[in-house]
Amino acid sequence: MHPDLSPHLHTDECNELISLLRQCHKEHNVMKFFGTCNDIDRAMRHCLKKERLEKRERSKKHAEEMKKRIKEGPKERF
């Protein structure tokens, strides 16, 4: 199962692969069940995984920064 394939959630590279896969599925209604579109599907899943891992790293760095800010306390003391 794929994550949500809405265009606003992904990079241009992945959006291109998503549209290629959808087009392949349209053109090959029956043959898609026999692996005709598998190469495009693999490329798309690889791209989505790369996006997910990059987002995970950004989130992890952001969490570390927030933890550091919380430990340091407020910048100004009254």
Side-chain angles (χ1 to χ4, degrees), residues 35-61:
T36 301
C37 304
N38 282 356
D39 292 335
I40 300 170
D41 186 51
R42 281 189 203 100
M44 183 199 65
R45 283 188 283 126
H46 183 267
C47 185
L48 294 176
K49 181 178 180 179
K50 186 173 78 170
E51 276 186 351
R52 186 182 75 244
L53 293 177
E54 288 171 356
K55 183 177 179 181
R56 191 169 127 192
E57 273 303 309
R58 283 194 315 267
S59 178
K60 188 176 177 182
K61 287 179 183 177

Side-chain angles (χ1 to χ4, degrees), residues 5-78:
L5 299 179
S6 298
H8 68 282
L9 298 174
H10 302 289
T11 61
D12 292 337
E13 176 188 0
C14 290
N15 280 330
E16 185 176 330
L17 291 169
I18 290 167
S19 63
L20 284 173
L21 181 65
R22 286 184 174 151
Q23 180 182 354
C24 184
H25 282 179
K26 258 186 212 172
E27 292 173 2
H28 305 285
N29 285 340
V30 176
M31 293 305 291
K32 68 182 177 184
F33 297 113
F34 297 102
T36 301
C37 304
N38 282 356
D39 292 335
I40 300 170
D41 186 51
R42 281 189 203 100
M44 183 199 65
R45 283 188 283 126
H46 183 267
C47 185
L48 294 176
K49 181 178 180 179
K50 186 173 78 170
E51 276 186 351
R52 186 182 75 244
L53 293 177
E54 288 171 356
K55 183 177 179 181
R56 191 169 127 192
E57 273 303 309
R58 283 194 315 267
S59 178
K60 188 176 177 182
K61 287 179 183 177
H62 178 71
E64 289 172 357
E65 290 172 8
M66 294 306 290
K67 283 181 185 178
K68 187 188 296 184
R69 284 180 57 194
I70 290 171
K71 281 185 180 181
E72 290 173 0
K75 291 182 180 181
E76 294 181 10
R77 300 273 171 153
F78 293 102

